[in-house]
Amino acid sequence: MRRLSRPILLLLALLLPIGTAQAVDFPLTGVVDVYSDLTITEVTQMDFGIVLDRDGAVTLTLADAIVDGGNGVAAGGATIASGDYQISGETGLVVDLSLVSATGATGLALNNFTVDAGAGSATFPTSGTLASGNLNLVVGADLTVTAAQAASGQNQALSFTIGVTYQ
Amino acid sequence: MQSNIPVIGLLQPSSVARSGFLARICPVLPVLLLLIASDCCGQGETGIIELATLDFGAVRDHDGQVTMGLNDNILADPAGIHLGGYVSSGRLRIVGEPHSTVWLRIFAYDKGGLTLSRFETDAGTWPNLFIDLGPIGEANFKLGADLRVKSHRTQPGEDQPLYYVIHLIHE
């Protein structure tokens, strides 16, 4: 076999496929909305004032007032107040409000909660709007006394938990 | 990338005639060489088209991590930071030379306390993701990932960008 001339070799070399890897970067962007975390702050503690150690119930309204449910359980007091709370979060968003739990000291039971989340009296679950990033919440409830179990004493704890979530 | 080789200018008929085995096809050689040059040097542009943006919906400004699946779904949210909203897996299309294979790698970096990681696709397994572009020179794939929120650096706001880069190697 005769040898190929140089021009032919050069020609063939140029025609052979040249495997050159090329790298390219493509910047891309995902997206997410980040909302302020929700917080709830107690402005005014829910306070039923004074009740007598006898069977009966009182209602704390949304207007800082006690209504006696019968049997003369309510005994006044200077500190009667509806619960007042401020919820903070992302401006303009709506939050769902729920009652998670409610417990009282022995012989004292909380129930029949009422709430005003800016649209008048309502019951849980309800919702409200974080106007300017805040929502004011007023809470009332019934307190039932079971005399056989309740003990006398001041500042007896009445606990409840409110759930707040973005819709 | 396309390159042009001045094939015809290199061909000297008098030199080719002296080579015995080429003499028989000498008259048609210039035409054949022109055709070969046109086929080997023509390469389609290689690129990525975003068909759907990777969208995690809404999260609260709180430390945590959310995992986006490949079917527009949130797979995990152990810290409870996800707030719902419209979510979408990423959908991308690679275009390039038919029957070619491309190699993909993906990188992401933290921006404003938001970081993507642990990318997943339906086209293979990272980090060595090879995709065949098939007879029409394109391939689609879905993209999921983890989003980590570092609240001490994150600021509330809508449509916050999540940056990532696809490094594509092709021949």
Side-chain angles (χ1 to χ4, degrees):
Chain A
M1 181 180 176
R2 296 184 182 183
R3 296 177 60 184
L4 295 175
S5 65
R6 288 185 180 181
I8 298 303
L9 284 173
L10 175 62
L11 179 65
L12 290 175
L14 289 173
L15 289 177
L16 285 173
I18 300 173
T20 52
Q22 300 179 43
V24 185
D25 285 338
F26 293 92
L28 295 162
T29 307
V31 67
V32 67
D33 296 335
V34 180
Y35 291 158
S36 299
D37 211 355
L38 291 167
T39 60
I40 184 167
T41 305
E42 182 180 83
V43 178
T44 303
Q45 186 180 46
M46 177 185 285
D47 193 334
F48 285 82
I50 301 171
V51 296
L52 300 179
D53 190 3
R54 61 174 66 165
D55 289 343
V58 297
T59 297
L60 177 60
T61 71
L62 298 175
D64 301 327
I66 286 288
V67 176
D68 196 305
N71 211 25
V73 175
T79 59
I80 294 172
S82 311
D84 195 343
Y85 311 92
Q86 179 165 287
I87 299 169
S88 298
E90 194 68 22
T91 297
L93 294 190
V94 177
V95 292
D96 289 328
L97 305 167
S98 61
L99 181 66
V100 178
S101 64
T103 58
T106 302
L108 302 174
L110 281 177
N111 48 37
N112 295 330
F113 281 79
T114 53
V115 57
D116 183 356
S121 179
T123 58
F124 289 111
T126 186
S127 62
T129 302
L130 294 163
S132 301
N134 295 310
L135 170 64
N136 196 61
L137 198 67
V138 180
V139 179
D142 289 352
L143 174 65
T144 301
V145 180
T146 303
Q149 298 171 3
S152 301
Q154 293 183 335
N155 297 324
Q156 297 203 40
L158 305 169
S159 303
F160 60 98
T161 301
I162 297 176
V164 185
T165 55
Y166 285 113
Q167 275 192 350
Chain B
M1 185 179 73
Q2 187 170 8
S3 57
N4 297 317
I5 300 177
V7 175
I8 299 302
L10 293 173
L11 189 61
Q12 298 181 19
S14 60
S15 298
V16 171
R18 284 196 288 271
S19 300
F21 78 95
L22 285 177
R24 289 186 293 276
I25 62 172
C26 176
V28 299
L29 190 58
V31 176
L32 290 174
L33 291 173
L34 176 60
L35 290 175
I36 293 171
S38 299
D39 184 57
C40 79
C41 299
Q43 232 178 6
E45 291 289 328
T46 301
I48 293 179
I49 301 169
E50 185 179 56
L51 302 177
T53 300
L54 180 63
D55 189 338
F56 280 81
V59 297
R60 59 191 180 100
D61 189 3
H62 187 85
D63 286 347
Q65 182 168 290
V66 177
T67 299
M68 169 76 77
L70 298 177
N71 295 297
D72 306 329
N73 53 341
I74 298 296
L75 296 178
D77 177 25
I81 65 170
H82 197 259
L83 299 175
Y86 173 80
V87 296
S88 172
S89 309
R91 284 172 173 75
L92 303 172
R93 172 176 293 165
I94 303 173
V95 294
E97 191 69 19
H99 299 294
S100 67
T101 299
V102 296
W103 177 30
L104 300 183
R105 305 201 72 171
I106 192 165
F107 306 94
Y109 52 95
D110 185 304
K111 180 70 174 179
L114 303 170
T115 311
L116 293 175
S117 64
R118 291 167 53 90
F119 290 88
E120 295 291 333
T121 80
D122 59 347
T125 305
W126 305 103
N128 293 314
L129 186 61
F130 294 94
I131 297 180
D132 183 359
L133 298 188
I136 61 174
E138 66 179 46
N140 296 340
F141 66 95
K142 300 177 185 178
L143 189 70
D146 284 356
L147 167 65
R148 176 169 292 279
V149 177
K150 298 177 183 177
S151 65
H152 68 281
R153 297 182 52 230
T154 304
Q155 294 293 327
E158 293 189 343
D159 295 332
Q160 297 210 33
L162 308 171
Y163 298 106
Y164 63 104
V165 176
I166 292 183
H167 184 71
L168 187 150
I169 299 174
H170 65 98
E171 292 190 1

